[in-house]
Amino acid sequence: MNSLVTKPGRNDPCPCGSGKRYKHCCGVVHAAGPVRPAAPRNIAAGSSSLAPQELGALVAMIDQGRLAQAEERALALLKGHPGTGMVWKILSVALVRQGKNALPALSKAAQLMPLDAEVHGNLGSALLAAGQPADALASLTRALELRPNDAEALLEAGDATQALGRPQEAIALYQRAVALDARSPLALNNLGNALLRLGRRDEAVSYYRLALERRPQNAQVLCNLADALRQADALEEAVSLSERAIRLEPSLARAHNVLGLSLGGLGERERAATSLRQAVTLDPRSQEAVTNLANVLRDLGARREALALYRKAVELDPQRPEGHCGLGNAEFELRHLTAAAESFRRAIALRPDYGAAHVGLAATLRIGGQAREAEASCRAGLAAAPEDPEALVLLGELRADRGYFDEAQQLFGRAIHNDPHCVSAFCSIAAHRRMTGADGAWLTGVQQLLERPLPLAQATGLRFALGKYFDDVGAYAEAFRCYREGNELTRRSGAAYDGDKLAARIDRLIERFDAPFVRALHSFAQQHGAASSSERPVFIVGMPRSGTSLAEQILASHSQVYGAGEVRFWDDAFATLEKSGLETAATAAGLAEIARAYLARLTAVPPEASRAVDKMPANFLYAGLIHAALPRARIIHMRRHPLDTCLSIYFQNFFNVSPFASDLESLAHYYAQYLRITEHWRSVLPATALLEVPYEALVTDQETWTRRMLEFIALPWDARCLDFHRTERVVITASRWQVRQRIHASSVGRWRNYEQYLGPLGRLANRLPAQT
């Protein structure tokens, strides 16, 4: 990662005085002085019958650059004198300088000349270049036993030790090399590399600066120093040095990479992305650069492009757990939950104590409704890093899902104590209780965080949290300003709302599922036994923030009801059915399979529960399809004042899962389409299948409407439904705090506080819910 000068001495002039680089000159044959045949004791290691002038002639060919001729002559001599180590040694020079594989010749020379330190050093260098650090270190160690003060061998032994993941040992070797030559830029640079790898940044910076004094125009040393300064948070100097390195060597990919990381640290993410794109262009196989670009794009909200890059990073190095974890995070943010869980599990398999991967898996399992498994994974993350702020926040969210809000608040506070810049903790505090004027410290903390250059998702979350604070304390102008800013940021990070696409889908639903078709389906299913007879499913549908979570919590407090949360199913079911052509017979057969598949999804329902509540709000689109597949299931439609509904949606950070939510014009359009399809279902579905429940009536006369809902789903009265806020169960929706409070009507007419900001929502004012 940091060893840019990886072959010490490669660019140094050869000691023979030729002016050529040591590694490509006769330095492979001798350590110093002009080219001469080796001492007699070295020749003795081979055949004593070879005339010294033959060796001299070979060396002359090397000096004159007649490399192919030297190779040919050496091979010819070895046919008659295969045990002459010096010929093997000279042959290796000819091969190296031609770019050919010299390892066999060097290995043979080392075998025949066991006391020649130079041969062992050269073999170690070649093995290191061939990616065999363990064998290289063995040869270099032998060279150092024979010649302890060989600075070149010390440097390469340090590199081999670093490659084997032993930086502490490498430091000792580099220090010996520096002691022999305190002015060697290579020794100083590589010592800095080893120190930086161990996190000893200040020491690394000192040695890089010394190396730079010796080589002020060396782009690689500049890049190393810039990276060390970046890691030490000296970001502005890191930017300056990176830019200087790029001016010296524009094609140095890693300089662009370090510049991008430094700019990202300063919050200049657009410029960072430009630099990192250049790094990836110059070195498309750099897993580090690809991952860094993905990270910056993710911070900028370009999630789909980031996802593609994370996938590429994993392809480049499938054994690197960080790559799988980054991919998991990207998949999670796009709500590809199955893929995200698989990525996190791969990361954990590669590194069982990888706390971030455990926490990522926990977040994915939580959204997927696997609360128990999510908490176990979160605690595994905390076992790896007991004070990790993000793990503490997620554990707090999991405890809040179960209604343990005091415990959750303690965990959020602990996260902020460990990291005063933990954005998620500040957001979670506001989400799980009513804020008051006494929360001045929280307010100051959020305002200070917003002065920092934050990733888009964090800046968005804080603005929604700040909007919640101002709404709670009655500062409505400030609240709306914060909510508007949060929504404007949200629109930068995901898919735009496609109103025409939604309207076309509703057109198809209304056209396909008209009253005659629904009746024909019902008749066909009855005649052929294709319809499911299950009464277990109960669907609660409606706009988001219309009271669906409240209705589920009330019903789930009944001894015979299980709250299944939001079951994702019917979007795909309709798409599959539509491909069949929606003819009566084919549709009826398809509906039977859909019913079986849906009921199979309710595997977590305990046997004593005769009803399972699915409260996915957007199932209002598919009420006709649901009734056709499950004619004995019951559908409860929650309706709330359109302005209260839409403003509550606008005030909620929906993580860009619902693109319509972040724009008032889109909200108005979506609500109008919602009214259009629900009015259609009201006209074609039998009264036994659909019950309309006005939110305002439910919160002002809970018992009456609770009785009506229980009668509708054919269950006896259970007084526990009135104390729904005491029911212990997992709720992960945005309303999980509200449904744990006693019922109240304080949110009815809330829109009047924001009447002057309604804009396009104003035309919905007269679209009031029907009172049943």
Side-chain angles (χ1 to χ4, degrees):
M1 182 173 65
N2 297 308
S3 299
L4 296 176
V5 188
T6 56
K7 299 294 180 288
R10 184 173 296 277
N11 297 315
D12 285 353
C14 179
C16 73
S18 67
K20 299 176 181 177
R21 288 184 293 175
Y22 183 78
K23 286 295 178 187
H24 299 286
C25 190
C26 51
V28 182
V29 179
H30 61 81
V35 178
R36 293 286 185 272
R41 63 184 178 85
N42 290 332
I43 295 176
S47 170
S48 59
S49 63
L50 187 63
Q53 49 267 40
E54 289 282 3
L55 293 174
L58 277 176
V59 171
M61 292 177 190
I62 296 289
D63 280 347
Q64 293 164 14
R66 295 152 55 200
L67 302 177
Q69 188 178 351
E71 178 187 357
E72 183 180 356
R73 181 58 184 158
L75 289 171
L77 287 171
L78 287 171
K79 288 179 180 179
H81 306 277
T84 306
M86 182 55 68
V87 178
W88 286 105
K89 187 175 182 181
I90 296 172
L91 173 61
S92 72
V93 178
L95 293 170
V96 166
R97 290 183 62 183
Q98 293 180 86
K100 295 181 178 181
N101 179 17
L103 270 176
L106 284 167
S107 298
K108 189 67 175 178
Q111 177 187 344
L112 293 168
M113 307 173 73
L115 299 180
D116 190 311
E118 189 174 82
V119 167
H120 290 289
N122 293 336
L123 175 58
S125 178
L127 288 165
L128 186 58
Q132 302 176 49
D135 292 337
L137 184 58
S139 293
L140 292 163
T141 299
R142 178 60 180 152
L144 288 167
E145 289 172 355
L146 295 166
R147 188 185 296 168
N149 292 330
D150 186 340
E152 179 82 5
L154 284 166
L155 282 167
E156 294 205 316
D159 279 355
T161 307
Q162 276 250 71
L164 291 168
R166 290 144 53 184
Q168 191 64 57
E169 296 175 42
I171 287 172
L173 290 163
Y174 292 139
Q175 286 173 333
R176 285 173 59 190
V178 169
L180 290 169
D181 182 4
R183 297 189 59 79
S184 167
L186 297 171
L188 294 165
N189 175 81
N190 289 14
L191 176 53
N193 289 341
L195 289 165
L196 188 61
R197 188 169 179 179
L198 287 174
R200 294 160 64 177
R201 298 186 188 109
D202 292 342
E203 294 173 80
V205 166
S206 298
Y207 282 104
Y208 286 139
R209 290 194 191 281
L210 289 172
L212 196 60
E213 288 177 9
R214 275 64 171 175
R215 293 275 184 86
Q217 300 303 309
N218 188 298
Q220 293 177 331
V221 176
L222 277 165
C223 189
N224 281 350
L225 175 56
D227 196 29
L229 290 166
R230 176 191 69 81
Q231 294 184 43
D233 288 329
L235 297 173
E236 292 182 356
E237 187 178 1
V239 167
S240 175
L241 290 170
S242 300
E243 291 175 334
R244 183 174 153 195
I246 291 168
R247 287 194 296 272
L248 289 167
E249 193 173 333
S251 62
L252 184 58
R254 190 155 186 280
H256 293 278
N257 183 62
V258 174
L259 175 58
L261 289 173
S262 303
L263 289 167
L266 289 169
E268 299 183 46
R269 293 185 176 85
E270 297 286 356
R271 287 182 62 198
T274 299
S275 293
L276 290 166
R277 286 188 196 281
Q278 183 64 14
V280 171
T281 299
L282 291 167
D283 186 3
R285 297 198 61 77
S286 169
Q287 200 262 6
E288 180 186 1
V290 170
T291 301
N292 290 337
L293 177 57
N295 290 339
V296 168
L297 291 173
R298 180 180 164 214
D299 285 347
L300 287 168
R303 292 176 179 142
R304 296 191 182 279
E305 187 180 358
L307 177 65
L309 286 164
Y310 283 123
R311 286 174 176 160
K312 180 179 178 182
V314 168
E315 290 173 5
L316 289 170
D317 188 357
Q319 297 305 307
R320 189 169 182 265
E322 292 84 358
H324 293 285
C325 192
L327 178 57
N329 285 325
E331 296 278 17
F332 172 76
E333 290 184 357
L334 290 168
R335 288 301 189 261
H336 303 164
L337 299 183
T338 301
E342 289 174 358
S343 292
F344 289 128
R345 288 193 172 103
R346 288 193 192 103
I348 293 166
L350 290 167
R351 188 193 300 170
D353 64 346
Y354 193 1
H358 283 289
V359 173
L361 177 59
T364 305
L365 293 170
R366 173 180 177 248
I367 298 300
Q370 297 172 264
R372 184 174 301 158
E373 296 86 346
E375 186 161 335
S377 187
C378 186
R379 292 191 183 278
L382 281 168
E387 296 303 319
D388 176 52
E390 294 302 330
L392 291 169
V393 171
L394 181 57
L395 182 59
E397 292 286 345
L398 287 162
R399 302 309 289 160
D401 292 346
R402 294 184 177 277
Y404 303 130
F405 296 109
D406 289 342
E407 183 182 348
Q409 291 289 335
Q410 291 173 7
L411 288 163
F412 302 146
R414 185 173 150 197
I416 292 173
H417 178 268
N418 293 343
D419 178 9
H421 300 143
C422 183
V423 168
S424 58
F426 281 93
C427 294
S428 292
I429 285 173
H432 296 99
R433 66 176 174 83
R434 186 173 184 82
M435 306 297 285
T436 71
D439 290 309
W442 180 92
L443 177 61
T444 300
V446 170
Q447 291 171 332
Q448 289 175 346
L449 282 171
L450 285 170
E451 293 173 359
R452 297 166 58 88
L454 297 171
L456 184 64
Q458 293 186 8
T460 303
L462 283 176
R463 281 174 172 81
F464 277 101
L466 203 55
K468 165 75 162 51
Y469 168 85
F470 285 123
D471 181 73
D472 284 350
V473 301
Y476 301 120
E478 282 296 297
F480 193 84
R481 177 184 62 80
C482 293
Y483 286 132
R484 183 179 60 241
E485 290 173 352
N487 280 293
E488 288 171 352
L489 291 176
T490 296
R491 290 198 296 277
R492 290 169 47 186
S493 64
Y497 172 63
D498 190 339
D500 291 341
K501 183 177 179 180
L502 175 64
R505 179 188 289 188
I506 289 176
D507 286 342
R508 296 197 306 275
L509 284 163
I510 292 173
E511 179 184 354
R512 304 290 191 183
F513 287 87
D514 59 9
F517 183 67
V518 170
R519 286 195 298 270
L521 276 179
H522 183 72
S523 175
F524 185 93
Q526 291 291 331
Q527 293 173 19
H528 295 84
S532 170
S533 61
S534 177
E535 292 183 296
R536 174 169 277 188
V538 174
F539 296 89
I540 299 177
V541 304
M543 284 287 289
R545 311 296 292 168
S546 64
T548 55
S549 292
L550 174 61
E552 182 199 27
Q553 182 75 358
I554 290 172
L555 294 179
S557 301
H558 194 287
S559 62
Q560 297 180 46
V561 176
Y562 174 76
E566 298 179 352
V567 181
R568 300 176 185 274
F569 181 84
W570 294 96
D571 276 317
D572 292 339
F574 176 68
T576 300
L577 195 65
E578 208 174 17
K579 290 177 183 178
S580 71
L582 289 173
E583 298 299 331
T584 303
T587 300
L591 289 172
E593 179 55 36
I594 286 172
R596 283 192 293 272
Y598 179 76
L599 293 171
R601 293 286 298 273
L602 303 179
T603 54
V605 181
E608 66 272 13
S610 61
R611 300 289 183 271
V613 176
D614 176 350
K615 61 131 307 212
M616 175 65 75
N619 282 340
F620 67 76
L621 287 166
Y622 308 112
L625 173 59
I626 290 169
H627 175 67
L630 297 160
R632 301 189 68 184
R634 296 295 174 258
I635 302 170
I636 295 174
H637 176 203
M638 292 298 303
R639 299 197 64 181
R640 184 182 180 189
H641 192 289
L643 299 183
D644 278 337
T645 302
C646 289
L647 279 179
S648 187
I649 292 170
Y650 191 71
F651 292 170
Q652 183 63 41
N653 184 6
F654 274 116
F655 202 68
N656 208 50
V657 172
S658 304
F660 67 86
S662 59
D663 175 73
L664 295 181
E665 186 68 52
S666 298
L667 255 175
H669 181 272
Y670 187 91
Y671 193 90
Q673 298 305 309
Y674 149 77
L675 287 178
R676 193 159 69 93
I677 189 64
T678 53
E679 287 166 1
H680 173 72
W681 297 137
R682 193 179 300 112
S683 69
V684 301
L685 296 182
T688 55
L690 181 67
L691 173 68
E692 307 266 3
V693 177
Y695 171 81
E696 292 78 6
L698 176 61
V699 297
T700 54
D701 189 359
Q702 180 197 351
E703 183 172 346
T704 296
W705 281 97
T706 299
R707 288 183 181 277
R708 290 190 67 172
M709 287 191 293
L710 290 175
E711 290 169 5
F712 178 67
I713 64 175
L715 287 182
W717 172 249
D718 188 334
R720 281 173 292 191
C721 293
L722 295 180
D723 290 325
F724 64 88
H725 58 285
R726 301 182 185 277
T727 301
E728 291 192 13
R729 55 183 292 268
V730 174
V731 181
I732 65 170
T733 67
S735 302
R736 60 189 176 278
W737 180 70
Q738 289 91 333
V739 300
R740 263 51 179 263
Q741 315 305 310
R742 289 185 179 277
I743 206 161
H744 57 83
S746 61
S747 60
V748 174
R750 180 188 181 200
W751 64 271
R752 298 185 187 281
N753 298 323
Y754 297 96
E755 191 166 4
Q756 61 181 308
Y757 308 111
L758 293 177
L761 296 181
R763 60 179 179 262
L764 301 175
N766 296 323
R767 306 294 294 270
L768 299 177
Q771 300 295 319
T772 306

